[in-house]
Amino acid sequence: MTRAVAAEDGGALARERDGASRADAPALGAGLAEPDDECHFAVESEHGFSLAFVVADAESMMESQQREPGEPKATTNPNPDYDLSQPIDSSVGLRQGLTSYGDAHFSLFLRKVFIKALGYSDDALSRPIVGIINTNSGFNPCHANVPQLIDAVKRGVQLAGGLAVDFPTISLHESFASPTSMFLRNLMSMDTEEMIRAQPCDVVVAIGGCDKTVPAQLMGGLSANKPLLPLLTGPMMPGSHRGERIGACTDCRSNWARFRAGTLDIEDISAINDELAPTAGTCGVMGTASTMACVLAALGLIPLAAGASAPAVSAARLRVAEETGRNAVRMCRDVEAWRPQRVLTTESFLNAITVLQAIGGSTNAAVHMMAIVGRHPDVAGTITLDTIDVIGRHTPLLLKPLLQLGAMTYTGRTLGEELALQSPIPVPRHLSCIQPFSEPLYPASSLVVLKGNLAPGGSVMKASASKDRRLLCHSGRAVVFTDSGDLARRIDDPELDVDPDSVLVLQNIGPVGNPGMPEAGLIPIPRKLAETGVLDMLRISDGRMSGTAGGTIALHISPESADPTSVLGIVRDGDVIVCDVEKRLLHVDISYDEIVRRRQERRAGLRPDMHWWARERTRGYRGLYMRSVNQAQYGADFDFLTAAGPS
């Protein structure tokens, strides 16, 4: 049995009849209202399913019953989506980026068929659409709060009159990506770029946080060139061990070094393991995640207040998310003005590099910045690795940076105007990490770029992280490890010929030599030296190290040692390595003739299974990576993804 109910002016009339179908319901109430009145109907089936609908004109219902079969329905206000005489405006909202079926009207019709399966009304689907990149993953604790952030962004979008729709992309976590998350950064950037292009979004909110996520989203977003607002997951809270505050991941490495040296027992290291990451969120120290968060603020893409710093588990982080949703809808009003290739200028990137130097940020940021810059057609080539060094020479560590105040921000105001609007909270001097201009923690050049015959394309060192400053001007004999496997086998060998003045050299961990350029550049101090109290040694490699690590370490040597032309690849035990940070020099003390001879000797011994040659026959993404990745000095991006395209 089906019951139809018609209601007018708060009154109700019910009629029941056996065998009435749901399609009969309009007719059951057709005579209950005057022609210009509005009738509301509810149909309740015998299965308990209810359907509510509105009929605007009772007379029109009667007319529909009286039409002859095949006679077209008279329309006075047709839905423009179905007006075949008008072209589809495919530049905004649901109408943009229509799937290609050869008929734009049908493409839109079919799109609405399927999106309505999710319960959307025509009113909702007519609004500007804000896409939300969902990077939640059970393997990514840094992004565990993404569902809550999505809800908050949607709230902000809806309050501002838009429609928010989330969609997934790859999610990367440092500890859950083999061989490294860097190996997958470019893949995530491709995923981000193509999903932004594919989805009908006017503006995109990109939720990220863990180290390679933010660079990948910026790279992909710049290439897609739709308005983009990053939203960070935020840092985790610290833990505690024996009354001392600890946190990932600087304390991960320092405590592991103590355990290796025998000064921590198994019980302590196990207890510390439970406390290093007590909540969701990114590492709370100045590692790569926090560095990239500060870079986003300097680029003018997130709020200066709390955008980078609000903890992942705080209410403040949710308010930032809601504000981001509101701002995304505001950007929908003038999409062209907010395309990232227009918003981000040379001045924006100079500000980002200045802040990178001022905060003593992660060395990884140098690689990421070069990759991001390389995606911008108007900036690529104007900012290089040398720019980082030049800016560093006049930027002290941890003070108010020397910024380009005219650079635009996501608010529509300049960076200078945004800074003027901020209300700094006074912090006692002993608790503040911001130093006065006259007393910087480090006078200049937190990150330095070294060059010489070992690194003609450059090498990056975080000089401010040196634990033994005499090593910033040092020469010593090389102790060479040919790859990470060789390092693991021999580094703790009691018979290893090494002393505190030796220079540890690790080869073949560059972009091609060890696809993904692992964070193995923090070569451990040989155990027999660590046990005597040695805390730092000069170490060089073509790989990376975590932003949470420290030491006197030259990284990202370019060209990498896997390249047959590389000098790093022909360094041998006993060669004298010279490092002079003041002179920006990284040099191996052998003659040019000897370099030529060793290169020839090396070429003669190259085997087809070595990475540099085997990449031409390697299948899948790994083969694509090895054939397409450029060197660290250019950001280790794929050549075909850069603004210039493949060389």
Side-chain angles (χ1 to χ4, degrees), residues 38 40 150 156 168 312 346 374 395 429 434 466 503 560 576 613:
E38 182 175 78
H40 297 259
I150 289 175
T346 298
T395 305
R429 176 70 183 276
I434 307 299
S466 173
V503 178
E560 64 174 299
V576 175
W613 308 113

Side-chain angles (χ1 to χ4, degrees), residues 55-101:
V55 180
D57 189 324
E59 184 176 39
S60 68
M61 293 189 301
M62 292 185 287
E63 289 177 354
S64 67
Q65 293 176 333
Q66 296 167 359
R67 282 201 311 272
E68 294 296 327
E71 181 181 347
K73 179 181 178 181
T75 57
T76 57
N77 186 25
N79 187 324
D81 289 345
Y82 308 136
D83 185 353
L84 301 182
S85 67
Q86 297 296 322
I88 295 293
D89 176 7
S90 60
S91 61
V92 295
L94 196 70
R95 296 173 164 215
Q96 63 187 294
L98 291 171
T99 306
S100 179
Y101 291 112

